[in-house]
Amino acid sequence: MDIPYSPAPGRTAGIMQFVRQRIAAREWPPGSRLPSLRGMARQHGVSKSTVVEAYERLESEGVIRARAGAGFYVAGPLAPLALSEIGPRLDRQIDPLWVSRQSLDLGAQALKPGCGWLPEDWMPRDAIRRALRQVARDPEAPLTDYAPALGLPALRTQIAQHLGTRGLAADPRHILLTDSGTQAVDLLCRFLIEPGDAVLVDDPCYFNFLALLRAHRVRIIGVPHAPDGPDMDRFEAALEEYRPRLYLSNAGPHNPTGARLSAAKAERIHALAEAHDLILIEDDIFGDLESRPSARLASGDRSDRVVQVGSFSKTLSASLRCGYLIVREDWLDALADLRTATTFSGAGLTQAVIARLLRDGAWQQHTRLLRSRLAQAMPRAIRLLCALGLQPWHEPEDGMFLWCRLPDGIDGARLAQAGLQQGLMLAPGNVFSLAQTAGHMMRFNVSQMDDPRLPERLATLIRTCPC
Amino acid sequence: MDIPYSPAPGRTAGIMQFVRQRIAAREWPPGSRLPSLRGMARQHGVSKSTVVEAYERLESEGVIRARAGAGFYVAGPLAPLALSEIGPRLDRQIDPLWVSRQSLDLGAQALKPGCGWLPEDWMPRDAIRRALRQVARDPEAPLTDYAPALGLPALRTQIAQHLGTRGLAADPRHILLTDSGTQAVDLLCRFLIEPGDAVLVDDPCYFNFLALLRAHRVRIIGVPHAPDGPDMDRFEAALEEYRPRLYLSNAGPHNPTGARLSAAKAERIHALAEAHDLILIEDDIFGDLESRPSARLASGDRSDRVVQVGSFSKTLSASLRCGYLIVREDWLDALADLRTATTFSGAGLTQAVIARLLRDGAWQQHTRLLRSRLAQAMPRAIRLLCALGLQPWHEPEDGMFLWCRLPDGIDGARLAQAGLQQGLMLAPGNVFSLAQTAGHMMRFNVSQMDDPRLPERLATLIRTCPC
């Protein structure tokens, strides 16, 4: 049916043109909400009824769409019909930030076997409460002043001592505290790479590495990952072909695979790094969950080519934000300056609380407990998933992650989207895969799978998934 | 009198060496307190008497000093000759990060009239201790989980309510919490500008804006600042000539000048922004120190062109790191994604502590007290500086900053360098000036000028400065 044409009067046409320009400039992307009628009217000095008319004409043209009681949205290529009812976030592609968004914003009622961290009741809440009370009493606590540029010396010393017990001796003077492990990697990227540089990552790898590196506009090169580390032939070929500046990787247990780097591969990576002038960033955020230490790029002798990154988010608290990096001495001042320029200083009070938990041994005791609980949860999760027809890629010795192949014909992204509608948060394989070759894979977190509702919910989802 | 030489036995020598190394590395700067005897003994696995002997020997060498009942301190201030021993930091040029470095790293003994924040004993330490205890007790406190992507809703609501009382109504849904005001500006720069873009700043402006913008590799354009806001002719000429994308400025009381934006200039800036497609970032970090509100770019009607930035570092605590930005709705998702990619999430526990201090009114009560103390300190500081031959650029109505012209023939950078050797931290004008035209100016912080030693120390410094 043709829509009869009648030109819009002057002010209405002005509003329509304004909206069209914003959409054309991609300032308002598909799915984004238009300004309210009142806001638009005020902003342009026109009456609300003028805006109503402009929006209705744009809607009849298919440029925007009204949603009952929820305003107007920019029209665009949208996912399956039912998804659009849930809200704009679900309209997004499954991209590297998908898991982060869902994990951070889903309510407490959701089941989260795809989540990247431990359940709240696995965390040392009583010890944290005690440390908060102790810091509140401590006359020397850094309550209000800015922290020193490199962070609280007491915590840097505690971190060095702890790493010493893991055979990763570090000089406290080479430790820079940050607000998170992610921020440490971001700071290093700002310092070390330029837009257009090549950076090596594992495929699959922690999805946020991909999001972070995209924010730095680098060329990301994936190297297939095996249970004992990267595929070395492909690693070497990538060095020859792309001349990357950095290799960014997770130490064991590897995210998402639970892999453990072998000593032979660690040695080979070091030799190649030397030959190709490659810098190695090793994110050791899960290392304290290892029952039996796997090889490290950042070993005791602290090659100038390796930067170790760590944090307490996975084993202590992700609400007490604190990460760190350990780096060669001649980079420290420049990194500290860059940190000052971009975030000014760290959270001294948080650092003091964490230092106390390390000093009195509460954190160390808690990580022992975590290792033992995970060692029990892992075989339980493997049994559950195998019963549902999923197949572990390998059986990790430790950590929280289990990387699984889905039953034939099931697509991970579709399963995750369907799960979300049922309050089940899953981590589809392709959010971890640069090459997008993990559509049939899924990452599970064995610590998040003890809810008695989970087996039935997951079984139903797999049985009914329209994949 | 010569001190007879006798070598220290093994363990004592080890402790002595450890202390000397820390001091040489400037990890323990002059004036900083050494670890307690007990703590040091435990850390090194030696007896307390070994530490006592090591400390006493170091004291006899003049390396450290004992204070009755208060432990041992690194000796200082050091004589000019010894400067080369202290380390590379003092050799650096006076650059935009100079003030940050010295403010963050100088020991508690130094006098800091150049510092950018209030003294520790002006801050609400008891209220913070109370809030920490309350959060430790609260069964709902976010102790261990990641915070939602936009930050704790309770704090975003408190911030919106508080801004409402200041006539700066905001929708809590448009507030994104960050780890600092600086991080908020950094995130906006990442989102809005490209290397090579032009950005307008005030000259003089907060020095860290210059450091931050340099990290973004933009073309920084300075506009001379007057007591009622930017020089509008120069502002408009800069828009014509450089077509900047952003104007980044401090709301009143302006840093470093204490200026107040006039309503007429605010209106003119808005009109020019509209005509030249300019985005305005207003850093309102000192706004709560205003006794009489000055004009704002981010006024109640929340133009799409303005982003407001704020934080609690200046009025509550810089150790509880938390800032925020208030931005048009259609930018929020992208900014939240960028934040997730680069720092993952905010510090939920810190946010909960601050929300509690706002909710029970402790912070609001404290800011009233601060305004009244500053109103008394300002005329005292003006009298002191005038008596020493310095001339205020104008007399600010409120805030902590006083921007002064030095006596003829005295160079601010040289004075600051000489001051540092005497434990006096000053903020020379040119660290705030893009055009480097403020060599004869200096920023003072009136809250940091009540130490009875200051008038004499400052007088001596000015009298003897080799400038």
Side-chain angles (χ1 to χ4, degrees), chain A residues 72-155:
Chain A
F72 289 81
Y73 290 76
V74 178
L78 294 171
L81 244 177
L83 278 183
S84 64
E85 306 304 315
I86 305 179
R89 297 214 159 212
L90 293 185
D91 297 337
R92 293 197 196 182
Q93 295 297 316
I94 300 271
D95 65 22
L97 282 173
W98 192 88
V99 175
S100 314
R101 275 185 225 113
Q102 306 307 338
S103 303
L104 295 177
D105 289 338
L106 267 187
Q109 277 312 298
L111 300 178
K112 299 182 178 178
C115 179
W117 49 88
L118 299 172
E120 208 174 359
D121 60 6
W122 283 46
M123 301 302 268
R125 289 182 292 187
D126 290 342
I128 293 171
R129 291 183 200 281
R130 195 168 56 238
L132 285 172
R133 287 194 302 267
Q134 286 168 343
V135 167
R137 271 199 305 271
D138 178 1
E140 303 290 319
L143 293 179
T144 61
D145 262 5
Y146 288 90
L150 294 178
L152 217 64
L155 180 54

Side-chain angles (χ1 to χ4, degrees), chain A residues 317-375:
Chain A
S317 163
S319 189
L320 282 169
R321 301 296 287 157
C322 183
Y324 57 89
L325 57 87
I326 307 175
V327 74
R328 50 198 273 191
E329 195 171 8
D330 56 330
W331 289 356
L332 259 187
D333 275 348
L335 282 165
D337 282 353
L338 194 53
R339 174 179 165 71
T340 302
T342 55
T343 57
F344 210 73
S345 91
L349 194 50
T350 299
Q351 293 168 10
V353 171
I354 296 176
R356 197 167 272 271
L357 285 158
L358 266 65
R359 202 186 63 194
D360 71 11
W363 174 70
Q364 293 85 337
Q365 191 183 343
H366 178 71
T367 58
R368 282 193 292 275
L369 178 66
L370 288 182
R371 288 191 290 269
S372 133
R373 288 187 78 167
L374 286 168

